[in-house]
């Protein structure tokens, strides 16, 4: 990591206390999605999700919570397997993160020396999957969902943000 990267992360920590990153189906439906040069190497959308999650893990801190939302689907079944792969990378990342938290007594020690990982997964992709095709909560184009589906995401998000606060449980 460069000094410039650290300055950007410090700026995030200073200016924000919550960042929501919503993975989108656009990652696999735009031209040239299959390969992208990252640091001189070809990468897949799933590779980039893994790298992004590691970077976000390094950015999180007790003062900066990061929420990651998995992707929905294209109603035409376009690249459904790739979306499932991307979502699986995120789910596995958070599973491993939770396992590491449990192994160290709940502190969630992160990749940066002594830092605490403050990340949450909203697995919207798994919840919306059954309403993504035949009985889709359809929006204005095949990649968009309706207001009802978007409200579902907000409900999931609020649940995740409040579930560990004793007065809300």
């Amino acid at each position: 990591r460069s000094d410039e990267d650290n300055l950007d992360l410090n700026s995030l920590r200073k200016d924000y206390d919550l960042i929501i990153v919503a993975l989108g189906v656009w990652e696999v439906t735009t031209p040239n999605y299959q390969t992208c040069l990252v640091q001189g190497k070809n990468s897949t959308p799933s590779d980039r999700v893994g790298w992004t999650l590691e970077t976000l893990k390094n950015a999180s801190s007790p003062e900066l919570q990061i929420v990651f939302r998995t992707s929905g689907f294209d109603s035409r079944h376009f690249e459904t397997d790739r979306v499932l792969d991307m979502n699986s990378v995120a789910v596995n990342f958070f599973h491993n993160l939770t396992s590491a938290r449990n192994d160290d007594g709940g502190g969630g020690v992160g990749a940066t020396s002594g830092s605490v990982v403050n990340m949450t997964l909203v697995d919207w992709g798994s919840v919306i999957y059954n309403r993504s095709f035949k009985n889709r909560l359809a929006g204005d184009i095949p990649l968009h969902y309706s207001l009802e589906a978007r409200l579902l995401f907000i409900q999931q998000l609020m649940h995740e943000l409040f579930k560990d606060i004793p007065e809300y449980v």
Side-chain angles (χ1 to χ4, degrees):
R1 293 170 39 119
S2 69
D3 289 338
E4 186 176 303
D5 289 339
N6 285 329
L7 287 174
D8 291 341
L9 292 178
N10 289 333
S11 176
L12 284 174
R13 289 185 192 109
K14 178 181 161 205
D15 295 335
Y16 299 97
D17 58 6
L18 173 67
I19 295 174
I20 301 168
V21 178
L23 179 62
V25 70
W26 295 99
E27 288 297 318
V28 296
T29 60
T30 56
N32 301 319
Y33 72 87
Q34 291 181 354
T35 58
C36 178
L37 284 177
V38 176
Q39 297 177 348
K41 297 185 276 186
N42 283 338
S43 66
T44 66
S46 293
D47 292 335
R48 293 188 296 276
V49 168
W51 297 333
T52 298
L53 287 167
E54 284 297 329
T55 299
L56 293 171
K57 179 175 143 183
N58 291 332
S60 75
S61 72
E63 296 79 30
L64 177 62
Q65 181 176 11
I66 298 176
V67 176
F68 189 84
R69 187 206 77 181
T70 56
S71 178
F73 301 85
D74 186 318
S75 65
R76 302 164 295 189
H77 291 275
F78 182 73
E79 297 294 353
T80 299
D81 288 341
R82 284 192 190 271
V83 175
L84 288 169
D85 287 346
M86 286 191 318
N87 288 350
S88 179
V89 167
V91 169
N92 289 335
F93 174 88
F94 280 91
H95 172 77
N96 293 337
L97 189 63
T98 301
S99 296
R101 283 183 184 147
N102 293 337
D103 291 346
D104 72 15
V109 176
T112 55
S113 177
S115 68
V116 173
V117 177
N118 190 3
M119 293 180 72
T120 301
L121 174 67
V122 175
D123 190 9
W124 186 72
S126 292
V127 171
I128 203 67
Y129 181 81
N130 288 331
R131 297 297 306 271
S132 293
F133 306 108
K134 185 177 178 184
N135 296 315
R136 186 178 178 91
L137 297 171
D140 58 337
I141 64 173
L143 299 172
H144 288 175
Y145 287 88
S146 67
L147 176 61
E148 183 182 0
R150 293 165 190 258
L151 291 174
L152 172 62
F153 163 63
I154 293 169
Q155 180 183 12
Q156 280 187 279
L157 173 64
M158 292 296 103
H159 171 77
E160 290 299 323
L161 293 176
F162 285 95
K163 75 178 184 183
D164 294 327
I165 302 174
E167 57 268 21
Y168 292 102
V169 178

